Each structure stands twice: as structure tokens, then as C-alpha cells.
Amino acid sequence: MKHIFIINPRAGRKNSAAHLMDQIEALRRVHGLTCETVLTGRQGHAEAVARRAAESGEAVRLYACGGDGTLNEVLNGAAGADRAGITVVPMGTGNDFLKNYGEDAVRFEDLEQLWNGPGHDLDLIECGGRLAATIACVGLDARVADDVHRFSKVLPLNGKMAYLASAGANFCKGTSQRMMVTCGAQATIGEYAMVCVCNGRYYGGGFMPIADARMDDGRLDALIVRRVSWAKFLRLAPAYARGEAWRFPDVARRVQTNSVRIQSREPFALSLDGEIQYRTDAQIMLSTKKLHFFAPAGASCNRTARRRLDK
């Protein structure tokens, strides 16, 4: 089996790529593994490398070495391929995907625990032929995600603080947009602040819209938030971050559905694990493809999931 490390050299801390290369060399030497390293040089490079490896038909393990954006590219290139396993080596600033693994997240930094870890299939979200592992969102939070990197570059903020700064700036531009939201067979038209479709639990540097979402149960959960005032937003935001938007039933509605369609006359921001598009029509659904993910022994993608209220 080949082990391909797809490394984003611009992600994370200084010298993190050099440290990782030392680990890979030690792994190759100690275990006699066939290892290949690729340093990405442009947007879409990681996806192209992953796709070529998956389409070769050879048994391969792909390591997305970077942040959530690197993982998003790798899974879009190789998800669903029978002989391609995918994992993450965290080098990004947010690493929201691995937050689902709770205290086990740090173990993904140790290649000795990771390289021969067991595999387990995870669900994926699909929209317009693109895939996401954790969350697809439309509206205010997607606009915030589009701007959050700008705030991170100009201000000394961590992931969550940069998200809050971006949220405040975007709130001033307007919180809602007129949209038609269709969940299954039910369609409603109104002013909506956001529609968040969850497979996993975290985005935006640690915000958790649905605290009991599970990544391997064959279902998605949507949180639909109507237009809110500034005063209500200030009260809603902390609860939303904790997975407690249900405390505001007058503006926030949760729906268990594997298909959500959003339509609007004006373009809206759509975020797929932080990758931004602008569209007037988006069909967000549970993908037929699975993410063949491998992790350290005993690690669980549902480690931080709360008990379901509907059980």
C-alpha cells in the first residue's frame, strides 16, 4: 500500500511542514512503508493529486496535511473510491473537522498512531457536485466565513474571535435575505438569516449549531434561522455557538432532512466546509458517496456528540 502525504506548506505554524517531513521519513525507515510527499502550490492541487491516486486503482492512504480546506480538496478528489482511504494531519488554524473527535484530535498529529489506524465510513454532504464533510450553510454565516480570513490576517485573533469580528461586520450589512427554503416536500418563503445543514458539529472556529449531529448515521440535520434583530442576535449567538439555538424557537427551527433546497432571486453565499460559492439555487443533500476515513485506534467521530433529544 502506498501512503501519500498531501501537504499544504502555507498552513499552520512556521516549520510545521519541515517537522512533518521528518516524521514521514522516520515512518518510512522504521516500518518500510512506501511513502510519497506532495507539497501543494495552488488551489485545487490537493484535489488533483487525490483524484489521480484514487483513479489509479491502487490501494492508497491519503493524508490531508493542512486545515479544513486541504481536507475538503482531498475528499472531493478521492471520496467514494473503494481502495482510497483518507485522513487528516492537522496543520491548520481551525481544524474544525477534527473537533468532532474531541480529545482524540491531538492523536492525529502522531503518525505512529495514525498510519495503520482502522477505517470507518463517514457520511458526506453534496451540493452541485461538490462535497463537504461537516457543514453546508447559506446566508449570514456563509458571508461571515467568506470574510473571516480577512479579519485573521489584519487582526491578531484566534479562530472564534475572527469569526465573531466577521459576524459583527456582516450583521451591519444586513442579517437576512428573501429565500424559498424547501425541506423534503415542504416549501416556505420568507426572510432568513441562515440555513445550516449539518453532518458534523463544528465550523467557524468551534461554533456548534447542532450539538447531537452524528457523522455516520445516514442523516442530516438542518437549522433554519429567520430574520433576527440586533438585540436578538446578541442573545442568540452565544447559544448558537453552544448548540443551544433550540432555546429560541421563535426564530430557529430544526429539521431532520436529507435534502434542502434554497432559492433566491439575488445571489447568496454558500459555504461547504468553508469553501465559498455564490448562487441563486442550491440543492444540499446527503451524498451517495462515503468518506473512507482512517483514524487512530479507538478514536470516534462522535466523541463530542450530545445525547439526541429525539431518542
Side-chain angles (χ1 to χ4, degrees), residues 89-262:
V89 179
M91 294 169 57
T93 53
N95 299 309
D96 284 318
F97 173 85
L98 283 185
K99 288 182 175 68
N100 292 284
Y101 285 80
E103 62 188 15
D104 290 322
V106 69
R107 298 175 61 199
F108 285 79
E109 298 179 16
D110 183 0
L111 298 187
E112 276 291 348
Q113 295 191 57
L114 187 57
W115 73 271
N116 63 345
H120 51 279
D121 283 354
L122 304 183
D123 298 324
L124 290 168
I125 299 169
E126 184 170 350
C127 181
R130 300 297 294 174
L131 300 171
T134 52
I135 290 177
C137 57
V138 163
L140 177 61
D141 49 351
R143 292 190 349 238
V144 169
D146 197 15
D147 285 346
V148 72
H149 297 298
R150 176 168 59 87
F151 282 91
S152 297
K153 290 177 181 177
V154 300
L155 296 172
L157 302 174
N158 61 28
K160 184 170 286 191
M161 291 303 296
Y163 188 90
L164 288 171
S166 181
N170 276 278
F171 190 93
C172 294
K173 299 176 186 177
T175 62
S176 63
Q177 185 171 341
R178 189 165 184 81
M179 296 184 287
M180 181 165 71
V181 180
T182 305
C183 298
Q186 183 180 9
T188 57
I189 299 175
E191 296 287 329
Y192 293 99
M194 64 184 74
V195 179
C196 190
V197 182
C198 301
N199 180 45
R201 293 176 294 285
Y202 300 97
Y203 75 148
F207 280 70
M208 183 170 50
I210 296 180
D212 58 358
R214 283 161 169 76
M215 303 181 75
D216 57 0
D217 62 353
R219 64 178 261 184
L220 302 177
D221 294 275
L223 187 66
I224 302 169
V225 181
R226 290 189 172 274
R227 182 178 183 177
V228 293
S229 66
W230 174 252
K232 177 62 70 72
F233 174 79
L234 291 177
R235 293 166 52 212
L236 172 64
Y240 180 85
R242 299 190 302 268
E244 298 176 358
W246 52 267
R247 294 181 181 275
F248 296 84
D250 56 325
V251 294
R253 176 170 64 101
R254 174 176 173 170
V255 181
Q256 193 283 305
T257 178
N258 287 348
S259 178
V260 180
R261 186 177 184 184
I262 300 107

Side-chain angles (χ1 to χ4, degrees), residues 13 28 36 43 50 55 58 61 75 81 86 107-108 135 146 166 172 185 219 269 277 300 302:
R13 301 177 298 275
R28 184 198 63 76
E36 178 182 336
Q43 186 175 1
E55 290 178 349
E58 183 180 0
R61 285 197 154 188
L75 70 87
I86 297 172
R107 298 175 61 199
F108 285 79
I135 290 177
D146 197 15
S166 181
C172 294
R219 64 178 261 184
Q277 307 172 17
S300 170
N302 299 317

